Amino acid sequence: FKLTVLISGNGSNLQALIDACDSSALPNTSITHVISNRKAAFGLERAKKASIPTTYHNLVAYKKRHPDTPSGTQAARTEYDSDLAKLILDLDPRPDVIVCAGWMHILTPDFLNPIAGAGIRVINLHPALPGEFAGAGAIERAWEAFRKGEIKRTGVMIHEVIAEVDAGEAIVTEEVLMREGETLEDLETRIHGVEHGLIVEGTRRTLEAIKSKR
Ligand code: GRF
């Protein structure tokens, strides 16, 4: 199987996938391309070290071609997303699955429709449980809710990507019990550890589902 991985930052989840490819968890599977929307994403270094082709897909370049107005920004995002889909559809070989691993750009139907039309699955890592803390800063918002006594646990999920943010069907989830007096940094460290296992398991289950349909 072939994976394309989308990143925006450190790439620790990308690293987990790199390390798992061709292991018993992800047999006959390789990452053929890594795309980042941030030039300085350390994940790009990780890809290069693993000899994986990379692309920096730059939203700023699109915004410069349009007026800085709501409709201008909308036009830039539409072009950005449809060009991102074209970039992936032009890859040879095309990926079976696109894995969003710490990818911090909302993917619109301009991206999702052509990709779905080509039969390519898109999955995403989100550090919260289904229906909770959608969007950015999920770990911190869970930590705040715990301090207010509103929750006792949070978690991590891998889910199908749909137009609504962090709302697609969950593929796999794992709960993370919260600890009294724990710092946000410690909780983040524990959650990232869970992410690294779950991103591999979520990808494995997705590939199994593709295999069973063949
Ligand atoms: C994840 O919690 C992701 O949702 C957030 O950063 C964390 C890991 O990113 N954006 P990375 O895989 O280390 O880049």
Side-chain angles (χ1 to χ4, degrees), residues 49-89:
K49 211 155 71 188
S51 309
I52 299 169
T54 62
T55 300
Y56 164 48
H57 191 47
N58 174 9
L59 179 60
V60 174
Y62 288 81
K63 287 194 163 181
K64 280 192 181 128
R65 290 206 294 266
H66 293 275
D68 186 12
T69 61
S71 62
T73 303
Q74 182 58 42
R77 292 182 69 92
T78 292
E79 280 177 28
Y80 179 89
D81 274 18
S82 53
D83 280 358
L84 180 59
K86 281 187 204 125
L87 190 164
I88 291 170
L89 294 176

Side-chain angles (χ1 to χ4, degrees), residues 42-168:
F42 183 65
L44 289 170
E45 297 311 310
R46 295 177 190 267
K48 286 168 190 160
K49 211 155 71 188
S51 309
I52 299 169
T54 62
T55 300
Y56 164 48
H57 191 47
N58 174 9
L59 179 60
V60 174
Y62 288 81
K63 287 194 163 181
K64 280 192 181 128
R65 290 206 294 266
H66 293 275
D68 186 12
T69 61
S71 62
T73 303
Q74 182 58 42
R77 292 182 69 92
T78 292
E79 280 177 28
Y80 179 89
D81 274 18
S82 53
D83 280 358
L84 180 59
K86 281 187 204 125
L87 190 164
I88 291 170
L89 294 176
D90 285 348
L91 293 177
D92 182 15
R94 282 181 173 181
D96 300 288
V97 182
I98 297 167
V99 186
C100 299
W103 171 255
M104 301 303 278
H105 170 89
I106 294 172
L107 293 168
T108 67
D110 293 311
F111 171 82
L112 295 170
N113 291 347
I115 292 296
I120 299 172
R121 308 275 291 272
V122 189
I123 65 175
N124 178 51
L125 159 76
H126 184 62
L129 293 174
E132 298 181 4
F133 308 114
I139 302 172
E140 178 154 11
R141 286 183 283 141
W143 184 73
E144 295 292 353
F146 174 64
R147 279 159 50 102
K148 284 184 247 167
E150 292 163 1
I151 58 172
K152 294 233 174 303
R153 57 96 190 91
T154 184
V156 180
M157 70 168 165
I158 308 296
H159 65 91
E160 299 279 352
V161 174
I162 59 172
E164 189 186 345
V165 178
D166 296 328

Side-chain angles (χ1 to χ4, degrees), residues 12-13 16 99-102 123-135 138-140 142 151 153-160 166 168-178 186-203 205:
S12 65
N13 285 282
V99 186
C100 299
I123 65 175
N124 178 51
L125 159 76
H126 184 62
L129 293 174
E132 298 181 4
F133 308 114
I139 302 172
E140 178 154 11
I151 58 172
R153 57 96 190 91
T154 184
V156 180
M157 70 168 165
I158 308 296
H159 65 91
E160 299 279 352
D166 296 328
E169 184 185 342
I171 294 161
V172 61
T173 65
E174 184 168 329
E175 285 197 353
V176 175
L177 295 183
M178 300 172 90
D186 288 346
L187 176 62
E188 282 175 339
T189 302
R190 284 198 301 131
I191 286 189
H192 293 330
V194 170
E195 289 173 346
H196 302 154
L198 222 61
I199 192 113
V200 173
E201 178 56 17
T203 302
R205 292 189 190 192

